[in-house]
Structures are given as C-alpha cells and as structure tokens.
C-alpha cells in the first residue's frame, strides 16, 4: 500500500492536469490540501477522474480558500467516507462515525471548525502482513495557520487541533487503525526548521505543545534518540516506556530520526527552495501499532514542484481491499456530475430577515453533497440593499406592465416604436445609402491624395523652407530633452554589499505602519546566514541613501 499527502496550493492550477498529477504520484490513496476550489467552481475533469474515486470538502465562507480532497484508486475504494471532524456535515449513510467527546465545544464552534473545508475521512479495509483483515481510517486534514496579527485565528487553530485529536482517538478506540496526514502548519522539533527562532522558548509554542502530547513520547526524533541512548547506558527504560504520551507516531522521524535539512515547505516569494531554507510542517502520523508493524518507510519528495509544499509518501506492507461500491459521499454522485436534472428550488436558500445582518442562518451547515443548499459565499445572497433594490425593480416592472398598453398606442410624435428597428429597408432607401457611402469614400480618397502630394512637395521646396522644417525638428528635440530632464525614470538599484550585485525592489504588504512602502534587498534567494550563495543582509528603504562602506 502507498499513500501520499500534498498541499497542492490550488488544484485547478496544475499544469499536468489532475489525472497527470495523480498518476505521477503513484499511490493508492492521494490526499490533497489547499485545493482552493468551491463546489460552484469544481469542474468534472477535476472531480471525476477515470480510475479514481474522489471525496471533496469545500470552504463555505470564502471562495478560492482552503479545501481538501482525497483520491482513491478504484482498487482502494473505501467502505465509508465523510467530511468534517464534528459529524455535523454528515447527512447520509456510509459515514465513518465515532466523533469522540465534544462536550466542551458549543454547536456554533463545531460548525465554525468545519466551515472552512479542512477535513475528509475515508475508511478502508486492509489485509495485514499476518493475513488479518482490519479497518484503516485515513484523516486528511489542512490545519489552520495562526496569523500573528489575528489572535482569534490562534485560538481557532488550537481548537481545531483539539477536535482533531478527539476524533482520531475515538476512531482508534473503536478498533482498527488510524492515519492522520496533511499540512499541520506546525514544525515539531528544532531539527524540522531551517532557522529556529528563540531556541530556548521553541517548545513553548502552543502548537508544539499539542504535538508533544498528541504523539508518542520518544517518537523517533533526534532528541528522543539521544535520550534513548542515554537511557540504555544507564540501564533504564527509554523515554517512550517511561511515559507513553500520545497514541500516534511521526512516521518520517520513526524511520529517519536524525535526518537534517528535511523540509516540506518553502517561501516562494524569496526563492527559499533554491537554498532549501524551509520547514517541515507536512506529516503522516499513524497509530503506534500500525507504524511499527505495517510501515516500511516514510519519505519526502522535494523534487516534485508545482506548489510551495512538496509531497510526502509512506509505504506499508498491508494490502488494500476495495469495497464493492463507493460511499454516498463520493464526488461522482453530486447531481451536477451524476446527470440528474435539478429543480430551481434547489438553488434557493432560506433567508432569516430578522437576523439584521444579511447572512444566511441555519441550524446546521449543509454537507458538500447537499444539493438543496448553495455551497459558496452566501453572505451576498441576503444583502439587504440588494433585496430592497429587487423590491423596487419589481414595483417598477409592475407599473410599466399596467401602462404598457397605453404607451403602445400613445407614442409621442416622431418617436419610432421598437418594431420600427426591425422593418426591412426598401430598395430606394437602400440605394440612397449606397450612393452616400460611395460619395464619402471618394472624399476620403481625394483627401489622402492631397496629403501625399503635400508630403512630396516638401522635398522639392526652396532651401529656406527646408531650413524652417529643420528648425521645427530642432525645437521638438529641445522639448523632448527638457521633459526627459524633468520626468526622470527610476534610479538604478543600489548594489548589495554582500555580493556587489544589483538589488531588487520589494513592497511591504503586511498590515502596519510600513504598509505600501518600498525597499531594496539582495536579489539572491533567502537562505541560512552560513550559506554564501544565499541572500545577504542588505536592506534599504526607497528614498534613503545607502550608508558609505567602511
């Protein structure tokens, strides 16, 4: 069995097409994150790929944002599938179930955590290496990013982690195996980032604290290997046995505990991938028994381009056993792809006019499979201004219909009716039009001929006239030189001190007092300070003079 996870950064932007991407990844189960597609933008060649069955979850609040998708080969058809972690999006049979303890979450919070299309679950039947048939649930997640400028997103991210853990552990306790994979948006250890900031406080990051208690302690990281070696010298049990910690293992670190410069994400705007100045935030986690008994290897695929992330891949000894039919959540069953005729009422949603904010309010979020709801940005649907404008337009149309008969018979003098524009032109009128066009054409020809004679006459005129023309040309050149001196172009870029090369111009896009300001930096890609091929630390605001070198 082979399984792949990749933050694709826009499934519609792939050059090779979805089928080409899936085939090139060569896996039975392919989990994609940040698809950036909503249901109204999903096209059949993307959703329904021959040889695969797919399962999409879309963002319900923003178009072109978030989203995950799981593609399974027909030989790996799942037993069950659903979207979301809370279970509130499940309105069909064939769901995975096992939602865990969610008592400390409010209903509104659960809806919010599943609103952005960040999770798809598929349950498969596998045959282990000792010929036992068991179940394997794959949780494909795109965890939120904590924006430093938005404290509420930090809290949102931690609550998403909490809900993910509750769901994964509940499924594991119910029997079978669990794999959690995707873009987790947190680097675990210092070895997993190119340039850790504040190493003394590195472990204080809330995301890393969650990973520490979600994963088995001593999961194969470099620090765990060192502690295990020390424990063996002291004839004491390793850290993993002293304190079990979580229930999952980081499969990459299990097989490659000390591998450095192993990253999965790079900043594209600074060209950091060229110098491998990145971080590892994409993972394939598996329950401990599954990783230890069935995993053969877990690798990164940094040579695969097309995104700011690279794919990661795991190889397992177990074999997948395909289900006889796809679960109802399969994308091919959506009405727009199944060839089912839809009613006009299916495109309408109920508006709560008493809410006063123009937003659609529902007791529960609709599933991606729910054809009775509009799947994308609904805020615009209930805009009070648009609704009032619609009422005014309706009243105007009603008045115009009542007076239509009167307007038809009482047209003002000289005003033609609409039918007059469609009456055929008689032969006489047509001849007049042709004759007029011919006269206009003759006039244009005469004018062009006159201009041509005037131009040829200039070359045969007296020397005085030629001198006058030359003087006019000199005045034009003088004016041109004047405006060039006034309207100067941009100055040449400064030279960076690290490499003596021209710098590049950048603009501040981050919110704050410097938003919109321009500056110069070294043109080379971002990298570690010890790398001579990487960008030097030259920085200069536009308008300021570079300091003289000492």
């Amino acid at each position: 069995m082979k399984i792949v996870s990749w933050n694709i950064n826009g499934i519609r932007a792939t050059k090779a097409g979805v089928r080409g991407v899936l085939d090139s990844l060569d896996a039975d189960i392919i989990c994609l994150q940040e698809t950036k597609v909503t249901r109204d933008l999903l096209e059949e060649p993307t959703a329904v790929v021959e040889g695969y069955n797919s399962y999409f979850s879309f963002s319900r609040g923003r178009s072109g944002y978030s989203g995950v998708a799981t593609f399974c080969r027909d030989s790996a058809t799942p037993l069950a599938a659903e979207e979301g972690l809370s279970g509130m999006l499940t309105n069909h049979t064939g769901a995975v179930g096992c939602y865990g303890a969610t008592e400390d979450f409010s209903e509104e919070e659960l809806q919010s955590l599943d609103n952005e299309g960040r999770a798809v679950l598929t349950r498969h039947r596998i045959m282990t290496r000792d010929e036992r048939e068991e179940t394997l649930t794959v949780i494909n997640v795109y965890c939120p990013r904590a924006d430093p400028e938005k404290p509420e997103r930090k809290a949102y991210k931690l609550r998403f982690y909490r809900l993910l853990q509750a769901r994964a552990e509940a499924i594991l306790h119910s029997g079978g195996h669990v794999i959690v994979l995707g873009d987790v948006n947190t680097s675990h250890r210092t070895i997993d980032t190119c340039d850790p900031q504040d190493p003394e406080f590195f472990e204080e990051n809330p995301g890393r604290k969650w990973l520490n208690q979600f994963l088995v302690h001593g999961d194969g990281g470099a620090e765990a290997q060192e502690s295990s070696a020390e424990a063996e010298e002291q004839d004491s049990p390793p850290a993993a046995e002293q304190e079990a910690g979580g229930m999952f293992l980081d499969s990459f670190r299990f097989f490659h505990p000390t591998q450095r410069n192993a990253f999965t994400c790079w900043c594209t705007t600074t060209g950091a991938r060229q110098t491998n100045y990145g971080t590892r935030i994409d993972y394939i986690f598996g329950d401990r028994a599954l990783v230890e008994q069935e995993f053969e290897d877990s690798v990164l695929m940094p040579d695969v381009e097309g995104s700011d992330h690279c794919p990661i891949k795991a190889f397992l000894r177990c074999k997948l056993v395909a289900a006889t039919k796809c679960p109802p959540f399969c994308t091919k069953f959506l009405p727009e792809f199944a060839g089912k005729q839809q009613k006009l009422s299916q495109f309408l949603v109920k508006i709560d006019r008493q809410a006063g904010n123009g937003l659609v309010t529902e007791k529960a979020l609709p599933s991606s499979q729910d054809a009775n709801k509009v799947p994308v940005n609904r805020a615009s649907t209930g805009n009070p201004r648009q609704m009032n404008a619609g009422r005014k337009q309706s009243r105007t149309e009603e008045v115009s219909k009542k007076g239509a008969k009167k307007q038809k018979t009482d047209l003002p003098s000289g005003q033609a009716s609409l039918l007059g524009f469609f009456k055929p032109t008689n032969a006489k009128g047509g001849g007049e039009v042709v004759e007029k066009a011919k006269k206009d054409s003759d006039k244009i020809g005469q004018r062009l001929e006159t201009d041509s004679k005037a131009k040829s006459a200039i070359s045969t005129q007296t020397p005085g006239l030629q001198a006058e023309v030359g003087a006019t040309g000199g005045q034009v050149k003088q004016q041109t030189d004047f405006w060039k001196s006034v309207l100067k172009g941009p100055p040449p870029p400064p030279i960076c001190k690290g490499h003596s090369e021209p710098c590049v111009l950048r603009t501040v896009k981050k919110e704050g007092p410097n938003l919109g300001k321009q500056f110069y930096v070294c043109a080379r890609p971002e990298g570690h300070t010890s790398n001579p091929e990487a960008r030097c630390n030259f920085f200069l605001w536009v308008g300021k003079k570079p300091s003289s070198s000492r």
Side-chain angles (χ1 to χ4, degrees):
M1 170 184 169
K2 291 177 286 187
I3 186 168
V4 164
S5 172
W6 189 18
N7 180 318
I8 198 170
N9 193 22
I11 194 171
R12 294 177 297 159
T14 55
K15 296 181 179 179
V18 177
R19 176 62 183 269
V21 170
L22 298 178
D23 290 346
S24 66
L25 293 175
D26 184 28
D28 302 292
I29 303 172
I30 300 172
C31 300
L32 305 177
Q33 302 90 40
E34 202 171 1
T35 57
K36 294 184 178 180
V37 64
T38 41
R39 181 171 169 181
D40 63 320
L41 300 177
L42 185 64
E43 298 177 346
E44 188 167 354
T46 302
V48 184
V49 181
E50 184 179 358
Y52 298 85
N53 46 90
S54 64
Y55 307 86
F56 278 77
S57 182
F58 313 109
S59 170
R60 288 162 175 76
R62 293 169 57 183
S63 181
Y65 174 74
S66 188
V68 296
T70 297
F71 287 82
C72 305
R73 287 192 185 272
D74 291 342
S75 58
T77 301
L79 301 168
E82 67 175 274
E83 65 172 329
L85 298 173
S86 68
M88 300 190 71
L89 303 182
T90 304
N91 58 1
H92 54 78
T93 58
V96 174
C98 304
Y99 300 103
T102 58
E103 292 80 9
D104 58 335
F105 294 89
S106 66
E107 184 175 333
E108 292 75 13
E109 187 177 20
L110 292 175
Q111 290 181 5
S112 174
L113 291 172
D114 277 342
N115 186 40
E116 296 182 356
R118 294 185 176 273
V120 163
L121 289 75
T122 54
R123 171 167 287 179
H124 305 262
R125 184 182 292 113
I126 60 172
M127 188 68 68
T128 62
R129 62 176 178 173
D130 56 359
E131 301 299 324
R132 287 185 296 107
E133 188 174 291
E134 298 183 358
T135 60
L136 168 63
T137 301
V138 177
I139 306 178
N140 175 13
V141 293
Y142 175 41
C143 297
R145 172 181 172 269
D147 190 339
E149 304 295 327
K150 299 178 180 179
E152 68 277 7
R153 294 301 293 179
K154 179 179 179 180
Y156 184 90
K157 176 179 180 177
L158 296 177
R159 294 299 282 172
F160 187 90
Y161 281 159
R162 173 70 186 88
L163 184 60
L164 171 61
Q165 181 174 0
R167 184 73 189 274
E169 292 181 351
I171 296 173
L172 189 60
H173 285 308
S174 68
H177 297 287
V178 176
I179 288 178
V180 179
L181 52 71
D183 181 356
V184 179
N185 256 319
T186 297
S187 58
H188 188 201
R189 307 289 190 191
T190 54
I191 194 176
D192 297 319
T193 183
C194 58
D195 194 9
Q197 302 295 323
D198 299 325
E200 296 181 1
F201 303 99
F202 189 82
E203 297 293 334
E204 298 301 316
N205 180 279
R208 296 187 181 99
K209 287 185 176 181
W210 174 79
L211 280 172
N212 286 336
Q213 56 90 27
F214 177 72
L215 300 175
V216 175
H217 290 188
D219 61 351
E223 296 87 345
Q225 291 292 312
E226 294 172 1
S227 63
S228 296
E230 294 175 358
E232 290 178 2
E233 292 177 0
Q234 300 174 3
D235 195 22
S236 60
E241 296 182 11
Q242 294 175 9
E243 186 178 4
M247 306 175 71
F248 293 87
L249 285 171
D250 177 355
S251 63
F252 177 78
R253 284 298 172 207
F254 181 82
F255 291 99
H256 312 278
T258 59
Q259 181 175 336
R260 296 188 177 275
N261 299 319
F263 307 130
T264 64
C265 181
W266 304 265
C267 180
T268 55
T269 57
T270 60
R273 192 165 188 166
Q274 301 177 40
T275 56
N276 196 25
Y277 191 72
T279 184
R280 189 173 74 96
I281 58 177
D282 301 86
Y283 304 89
I284 297 179
F285 301 137
D287 65 85
R288 185 169 187 172
L290 182 69
V291 174
E292 292 178 345
Q293 299 171 16
E294 300 296 334
F295 272 63
E296 292 181 332
D297 199 1
S298 184
V299 300
L300 313 183
M301 304 170 68
D303 294 334
V304 178
E305 299 182 351
S307 170
D308 54 342
H309 293 246
C310 76
I312 55 177
K313 190 173 189 177
F315 302 83
L316 290 79
R317 299 184 183 92
C318 59
K319 297 180 180 180
L320 285 160
V321 180
T324 56
K325 61 180 181 179
C326 297
F329 181 55
C330 184
T331 313
K332 70 179 181 179
F333 295 137
L334 288 174
E336 54 264 41
F337 303 132
K340 297 180 180 178
Q341 186 174 356
Q342 302 180 67
K343 298 179 180 179
L344 181 61
S345 60
Q346 294 176 339
F347 294 92
L348 305 177
V349 292
K350 185 177 181 181
I351 305 297
D352 186 359
R353 299 181 179 177
Q354 296 180 354
N357 55 6
L359 297 177
V360 176
T361 58
E362 301 178 12
K363 294 184 178 179
L365 289 172
S367 166
S368 287
Q369 296 283 18
D370 194 344
N372 295 322
K373 303 291 188 295
V374 175
V376 294
N377 200 345
R378 303 168 181 194
S380 61
T381 307
N383 190 316
R385 289 186 177 180
Q386 294 178 355
M387 287 162 40
N388 290 335
R391 296 192 192 101
K392 292 180 180 179
Q393 183 178 358
S394 299
R395 287 196 294 268
T396 303
E397 292 176 353
E398 185 177 353
V399 171
S400 63
K401 287 180 179 178
K402 291 180 179 179
K405 186 174 182 180
K406 181 178 180 181
Q407 293 176 3
K408 183 176 181 181
T409 56
D410 299 336
L411 288 173
S413 176
Q415 180 177 348
S417 67
L418 183 61
L419 293 176
F421 292 97
F422 299 96
K423 290 182 179 179
T425 305
N426 56 34
K428 181 179 179 181
E432 291 176 353
V433 171
V434 172
E435 185 66 24
K436 185 177 183 301
K438 185 178 179 181
K439 290 180 179 179
D440 292 341
S441 177
D442 293 339
K443 289 181 180 179
I444 295 173
Q446 292 173 3
R447 189 177 304 167
L448 292 175
E449 184 178 358
T450 303
D451 293 342
S452 177
K453 291 180 180 179
K455 290 180 180 178
S456 61
I458 291 178
S459 60
T460 60
Q461 292 299 324
T462 61
L465 180 59
Q466 292 180 357
E468 184 178 350
V469 173
T472 303
Q475 292 177 359
V476 172
K477 184 178 184 303
Q478 184 178 3
Q479 293 177 358
T480 303
D481 294 340
F482 169 75
W483 285 113
K484 282 184 178 180
S485 64
V486 173
L487 303 175
K488 295 180 180 180
I495 304 299
C496 71
K497 297 178 181 179
H499 306 98
S500 298
E501 297 173 351
C503 294
V504 292
L505 183 65
R506 305 284 189 195
T507 304
V508 178
K509 297 182 179 180
K510 186 177 179 180
E511 294 289 341
N514 293 323
L515 179 65
K517 292 181 65 176
Q518 293 184 313
F519 58 93
Y520 289 101
V521 292
C522 176
R524 295 202 177 191
E526 185 180 17
H528 199 274
T529 53
S530 61
N531 186 350
E533 299 299 323
R535 172 190 299 175
C536 64
N537 60 358
F538 181 88
F539 180 92
L540 179 67
W541 289 110
V542 171
K544 289 189 177 182
K545 295 182 179 180
S547 57
S548 58
S549 58
R550 298 179 180 178

